[in-house]
């Protein structure tokens, strides 16, 4: 993470308490860099910010249509969800539709971030299961593709046909040979790319509607699904959901662990990718909101933009203690 | 946070996924810098890492002895606890002892980090209260001092005699005029200092046993209390508790929010203070463990040291995905 530049400041009183540096790239549909902060060639794991890429083979293979997947299911395939009832009930139905069970997942159990779901499990003495995993929609997509392809049960292994199909799509849309992979929190491989490659992929998604090839048609369906169902892509109180609602169908955005965030801007024909060097989500959310303002997609006084670009730090009594905001000059003054 | 140097690396597979930079200082009892990384004159908020300083006036005033505070209570006054039953029952008794109630606190309610306490509240339909606040021991100390001094109820305000007594102690032991304060998560003022000043203060605590003045006697009692009751200073699963247990009475260590960590090393007569520029706790814990190894207080193969200096990253299925570790060369190879 060399050559990262300061992007976000955490102020408490009159003192700059902490700072976050990182890299950010805006690409046009030719794959050219329109704007960059830090090192656009920094190699990163996109983590969950590339779920729409991982969902491409689900559609291009014919599996999504074979199983009649809805727009809601495509949104869930791209989601890092809260494990709320709106997510888990749909994932359960999806498993039923495939004739599969929770035990067919390979994502592992995760405590749901949704408070009602979390508290409900505790009250009923139940443990979280793999359906609650924030990636269970992506894994439902993997299971659907695997069912269609007739692959073995260990669909999360890098040599499995499902993941090899993901890798082929990933290298196609990033325009790069992936230099390697890491194991993601959900045990699926996560392929590395330069930030430039990730932004190039997002710009390719942004311009999908202008092309007629099968992969572009698949990309267009995924972007439309994300924008149509922001509550399924993340959940209440989450940045992806709040920002996509505020954007009102003008863009799809997706967070990833360790400080990654991507955006697909169809109207502008632009793709955005950013990585906070230290991996902080508070900083990736702030930077993405700042970039959406900078790109003219959000007004700087939009309440959702302010939630992330001028995020108040309060004491547990509610006293105003500080603010998290972009570095001065990154966007227009708020 | 200029001139911060890389201290911690987050690896996933063969790729360096994230990095953390910061500043660290080791001071001797003369206040001289023995070793430093980054900028020792960086001005920071110590946050909870200076609770032993905030507890000094509780003893030097005579309040602690007037109310017969035990070693356990002094440890709690220095604690950022988990809100487990071992903490909250003692804080409740402390309030009873003072003839005060939960509503006399000004720290605000906080959901306890301790899972049993957290789950217990949900099962019984109760909300967390101010006793669960990780700072309720510190605030019990403030209330005790305030009771002794006869001050007004808003003891958390910076102009209140309690906080002015804290400021005087803080400036005395850091050897600096504090350039200002911020409001901490518990609504108490948190006074700024250079990292050098904070390390100087820790070295002063470390050498307290060699002096006979009232403040040094108070410091000695606080350090002994922290080392005698590591489970009260934080809680099960927490770095301060685990490291102090592993150190077996050779040092007191204390974490603070936004990536701060301090250590008091009586046998060596040294004080340590560090700040991760981006505020990450995973990095402050790793750096502190690395420094304790570097200083010869922990063996590099100590299991607790490895928990923080070679911290495995696992997928939710339990697959080995990566590691969090100090930058190469910071400590002896593990």
């Amino acid at each position: 993470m060399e050559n990262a530049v300061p992007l976000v400041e955490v102020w408490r009183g009159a003192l700059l308490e902490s700072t976050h540096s990182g890299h950010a790239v805006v690409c046009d549909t030719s794959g050219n860099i329109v704007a960059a902060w830090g090192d656009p060639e920094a190699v990163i794991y996109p983590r969950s910010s590339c779920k729409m890429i991982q969902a491409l083979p689900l559609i291009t293979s014919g599996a999504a249509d074979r199983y009649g997947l809805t727009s809601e299911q495509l949104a869930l395939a791209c989601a890092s969800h809260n494990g709320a009832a709106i997510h888990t009930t749909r994932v359960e139905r999806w498993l039923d539709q495939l004739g599969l069970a929770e035990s067919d997942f390979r994502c592992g159990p995760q405590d749901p971030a949704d408070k009602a779901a979390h508290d409900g499990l505790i009250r009923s003495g139940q443990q979280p299961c793999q359906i609650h995993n924030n990636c269970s929609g992506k894994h439902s997509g993997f299971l659907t593709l695997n069912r269609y392809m007739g692959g073995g049960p260990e669909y999360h292994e890098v040599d499995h046909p499902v993941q090899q199909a993901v890798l082929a799509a990933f290298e196609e849309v990033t325009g790069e040979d992936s230099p390697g992979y890491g194991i993601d929190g959900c045990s699926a491989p996560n392929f590395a790319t330069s930030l430039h490659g990730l932004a190039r992929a997002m710009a390719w998604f942004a311009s999908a509607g202008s092309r007629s090839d099968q992969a572009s048609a698949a990309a267009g369906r995924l972007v439309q699904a994300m924008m149509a169902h922001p509550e399924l892509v993340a959940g209440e109180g989450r940045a992806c959901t709040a920002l996509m609602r505020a954007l009102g169908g003008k863009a799809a955005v997706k967070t990833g662990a360790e400080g990654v965030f991507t955006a697909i801007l169809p109207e502008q024909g632009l793709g955005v990718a950013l990585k906070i060097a230290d991996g902080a989500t508070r900083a990736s959310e702030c930077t993405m909101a700042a970039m959406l303002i900078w790109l003219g997609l959000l007004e700087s006084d939009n309440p959702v933009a302010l939630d992330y670009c001028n995020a108040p730090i309060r004491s547990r009594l509610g006293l105003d203690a500080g603010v998290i905001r972009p570095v001065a000059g990154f966007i227009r003054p708020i």
Side-chain angles (χ1 to χ4, degrees), chain A:
Chain A
M1 294 290 104
E2 288 179 12
N3 305 316
V5 297
L7 292 172
V8 174
E9 299 178 341
V10 180
W11 288 84
R12 185 174 298 267
L15 182 69
L16 179 59
E17 184 169 29
S18 300
T19 60
H20 298 280
S21 296
H23 312 282
V25 184
V26 183
C27 251
D28 66 20
T29 55
S30 307
N32 295 320
I33 293 175
V34 173
W37 292 256
D39 178 10
E41 304 308 326
V43 175
I44 66 155
Y45 292 123
R47 307 295 299 275
S48 291
S49 80
C50 74
K51 276 177 173 162
M52 72 295 279
I53 304 177
Q54 293 173 301
L56 279 172
L58 172 64
I59 303 180
T60 55
S61 65
D65 288 336
R66 163 66 184 80
Y67 288 96
L69 297 194
T70 63
S71 170
E72 286 189 353
Q73 286 170 299
L74 296 181
L76 278 170
C78 301
S80 300
H81 65 68
N82 270 359
I86 59 162
H87 309 113
T88 54
T89 55
R90 284 168 175 78
V91 169
E92 282 171 8
R93 282 205 299 269
W94 194 342
L95 285 173
D96 287 347
Q97 185 184 348
L98 297 171
L100 295 174
E102 186 262 0
S103 58
D104 291 307
F105 276 141
R106 294 293 181 271
C107 50
Q110 181 185 12
D111 191 32
D114 179 75
K115 182 166 166 51
H118 166 84
D119 290 4
L121 287 174
I122 290 169
R123 281 197 206 95
S124 63
Q126 290 180 290
Q127 294 297 316
C129 72
Q130 298 191 90
I131 292 170
H132 298 103
N133 188 305
N134 81 85
C135 300
S136 68
K138 178 176 81 171
H139 281 250
S140 296
F142 287 159
L143 282 174
T144 305
L145 176 58
N146 195 31
R147 185 93 177 170
Y148 185 76
M149 297 171 88
E154 306 308 324
Y155 67 83
H156 64 297
E157 295 178 351
V158 71
D159 294 331
H160 190 281
V162 164
Q163 301 307 332
Q164 286 298 304
V166 169
L167 174 58
F170 189 84
E171 293 189 331
E172 181 68 28
V173 299
T174 58
E176 297 178 2
D177 291 339
S178 173
Y181 73 97
I183 295 173
D184 211 335
C186 69
S187 294
N190 195 257
F191 299 105
T193 174
S194 72
L195 207 60
H196 184 178
L198 187 57
R200 187 190 287 122
M202 295 304 115
W204 177 84
F205 270 85
S207 57
S210 67
R211 297 182 302 271
S212 56
D213 59 289
Q214 197 184 34
S216 295
R221 285 172 67 182
L222 290 166
V223 174
Q224 290 302 319
M226 290 175 72
M227 295 192 303
H229 309 289
E231 73 287 356
L232 295 181
V233 175
E236 298 308 320
R238 293 276 303 280
C240 289
T241 298
L243 288 170
M244 284 198 284
R245 282 176 176 161
L247 290 161
K250 287 192 288 185
V253 301
K254 186 69 193 71
T255 191
E258 291 292 332
V260 185
F261 225 123
T262 54
I264 297 165
L265 284 53
E267 291 183 13
Q268 287 79 3
L270 296 175
V272 178
L274 68 90
K275 159 77 182 176
I276 303 300
D278 61 68
T281 297
R282 68 180 180 184
S284 61
E285 292 176 347
C286 176
T287 304
M288 177 51 74
M291 293 185 77
L292 292 169
I293 295 169
W294 186 82
L295 288 159
L297 274 88
L298 283 179
E299 295 296 320
S300 60
D301 60 355
N302 179 295
V304 174
L306 291 173
D307 282 347
Y308 296 101
C309 267
N310 199 26
I313 299 172
R314 294 206 171 88
S315 76
R316 295 200 172 83
L317 268 186
L319 302 183
D320 186 17
V323 67
I324 303 173
R325 66 184 190 208
V327 292
F330 186 79
I331 57 165
R332 300 188 290 274
I334 296 173

